[in-house]
Amino acid sequence: MILKTKTLQNTQTPQTIAGQKQEQDVAFYLRRAFKDHPEVLVINDFRFTFNGETAQIDHLIIYPYGFVLIESKSIKGHVDVNQHGEWTRSHGNNWFGMPSPIKQVELQQSLLKEMLKQHRSEILGKLLGIRQQGFGMRCWDHLCAVSSDAVINRETMPAAVSEQLVKTEFLVEKLEKIMNLKSKFFRIINVSDTRPDFNQEELNSIAKFLIDRHLDQSQAASEITPVQTPQIKEPVASFAVNKVAEVKNQPISQPTTNSMLRCKHCGESTNYTPMYGKFGYYIKCNQCAKNTPMKQACPQCQSTQTKITKAKETYTLHCNDCDNHYRVI
């Protein structure tokens, strides 16, 4: 299931155009393979901040046994990695050093793992109602997906790097091997597979937690240069409202005409209807018929530790960090 698509950015240089094309190619293969799979959740272009650090993950996969992070790299020529893990690539007849994308995605994974572990009590329930579940014993894998026309010199690179380096056209096959998904029946009877797994409710909870903490580019920039009101422009496909909450959705009032909210899909900021579902308050856009959570980052301090409350027909955003209140509708 695709929770968030890759949003195209205005790019001008050949390098950024090629990089964006590679991310689109990876997203295409992931969509073809997993768009209808309820237990494989895909977030493309995920940005988040934690403990004063900001990270951007090209592609994040959540599945019953854990997580897979994918770094996309547009490499058209030869790519080589020596025994010290140092990367070089060719361009024409010349060779150039490049940062290791494996090291890059390892740092992203570490920060993501820290954030999930700190918030585990909010995301996961307790085993048998006694022991708090966590993320430490889950499967954590990361890959680098390079252009399908790259030439990879696997004979000279470390075996561990070769295992993590895959051409885009073979990515899904590699992911299926890593995830090694089994039916629920076989998970019960197969005693040799000791991997702890998330149930569907836990997968949904993890997905909602991450989607709620995604920062679009303007929000990510505000972590460095604060702004008064973050503009939410990126069309995040809200997992909670599109796939789960629709079972329990109930209209709350007539369409509103003025608020600080906007549809994340089409940008509509006036013509929508407040709604309530399994994962809380959201708006249903009357322009594109898609849904957007009301919960957003605090306009003052940019904290994501916020909540929505309702009093009659008024919806208010409350920030737990700076204790400010904002009327959203």
Side-chain angles (χ1 to χ4, degrees):
M1 186 182 301
I2 309 301
L3 307 186
K4 179 183 175 301
T5 59
K6 166 66 180 174
T7 301
L8 299 181
Q9 306 295 330
N10 291 326
T11 59
Q12 296 180 349
T13 68
Q15 292 85 354
T16 54
I17 292 174
Q20 182 165 265
K21 173 64 165 56
Q22 171 63 8
E23 289 189 44
Q24 287 180 274
D25 289 346
V26 171
F28 168 79
Y29 281 97
L30 295 178
R31 183 174 67 253
R32 287 285 298 270
F34 304 121
K35 66 178 180 178
D36 297 320
H37 202 308
E39 293 186 321
V40 180
L41 312 180
V42 181
I43 302 177
N44 295 293
D45 193 17
F46 175 53
R47 302 182 188 90
F48 68 100
T49 183
F50 176 72
N51 198 24
E53 301 290 337
T54 300
Q56 187 267 335
I57 300 172
D58 289 341
H59 315 276
L60 172 61
I61 294 178
I62 312 158
Y63 70 107
Y65 298 115
F67 306 84
V68 184
L69 287 74
I70 304 169
E71 177 72 13
S72 294
K73 284 297 176 186
S74 175
I75 300 177
K76 299 296 185 180
H78 290 251
V79 57
D80 196 7
V81 185
N82 65 23
Q83 294 302 312
H84 298 287
E86 299 165 339
W87 287 58
T88 54
R89 61 187 296 182
S90 69
H91 183 72
N93 295 323
N94 298 315
W95 284 83
F96 302 89
M98 62 176 287
S100 168
I102 299 297
K103 290 297 181 183
Q104 181 178 348
V105 74
E106 284 176 354
L107 292 174
Q108 297 163 354
Q109 176 179 294
S110 177
L111 192 65
L112 176 66
K113 193 172 183 179
E114 287 180 31
M115 181 175 71
L116 290 174
K117 287 174 67 175
Q118 179 164 315
H119 293 276
R120 62 187 181 276
S121 62
E122 305 170 33
I123 307 170
L124 302 177
K126 293 184 177 180
L127 186 62
L128 301 178
I130 301 173
R131 183 178 179 181
Q132 176 62 55
Q133 297 190 77
F135 295 94
M137 299 300 294
R138 312 296 175 166
C139 296
W140 288 87
D141 294 280
H142 49 271
L143 299 170
C144 175
V146 298
S147 309
S148 294
D149 54 357
V151 180
I152 304 175
N153 300 326
R154 296 190 183 275
E155 295 79 8
T156 59
M157 68 176 54
V161 174
S162 182
E163 277 295 310
Q164 296 171 310
L165 185 59
V166 59
K167 288 190 175 184
T168 303
E169 59 186 321
F170 300 111
L171 176 61
V172 170
E173 181 180 336
K174 182 71 172 181
L175 288 170
E176 290 175 342
K177 180 179 179 182
I178 289 174
M179 293 188 292
N180 190 21
L181 291 174
K182 298 179 174 64
S183 69
K184 294 180 180 179
F185 173 75
F186 279 104
R187 290 181 206 168
I188 297 174
I189 66 173
N190 187 4
V191 295
S192 63
D193 192 342
T194 59
R195 295 177 296 172
D197 62 325
F198 300 119
N199 59 37
Q200 191 64 55
E201 183 179 354
E202 290 166 341
L203 287 174
N204 295 348
S205 181
I206 295 168
K208 181 181 184 302
F209 174 85
L210 294 176
I211 288 295
D212 283 348
R213 279 153 182 77
H214 169 72
L215 304 172
D216 66 15
Q217 283 196 331
S218 61
Q219 288 175 302
S222 72
E223 295 298 318
I224 301 174
T225 306
V227 296
Q228 292 299 313
T229 305
Q231 299 298 313
I232 302 175
K233 298 179 180 178
E234 189 158 329
V236 178
S238 175
F239 170 79
V241 296
N242 284 346
K243 294 295 182 181
V244 178
E246 60 188 11
V247 177
K248 301 178 65 176
N249 292 347
Q250 298 178 351
I252 296 176
S253 66
Q254 296 300 313
T256 187
T257 57
N258 185 27
S259 81
M260 64 184 288
L261 298 173
R262 67 176 62 243
C263 175
K264 289 187 177 182
H265 303 273
C266 70
E268 175 60 44
S269 61
T270 59
N271 187 18
Y272 53 70
T273 304
M275 304 283 285
Y276 181 79
K278 181 177 180 180
F279 292 99
Y281 296 105
Y282 66 98
I283 56 174
K284 182 178 182 64
C285 181
N286 297 319
Q287 188 74 25
C288 68
K290 294 184 179 180
N291 305 322
T292 301
M294 288 190 192
K295 186 178 182 295
Q296 56 185 281
C298 173
Q300 179 64 34
C301 70
Q302 311 304 316
S303 171
T304 57
Q305 301 303 311
T306 58
K307 64 179 180 180
I308 293 288
T309 59
K310 179 178 182 290
K312 295 184 178 179
E313 301 305 315
T314 300
Y315 299 81
T316 303
L317 179 76
H318 172 69
C319 178
N320 294 326
D321 286 341
C322 68
D323 203 33
N324 279 319
H325 296 73
Y326 304 90
R327 180 174 176 175
V328 295
I329 300 180

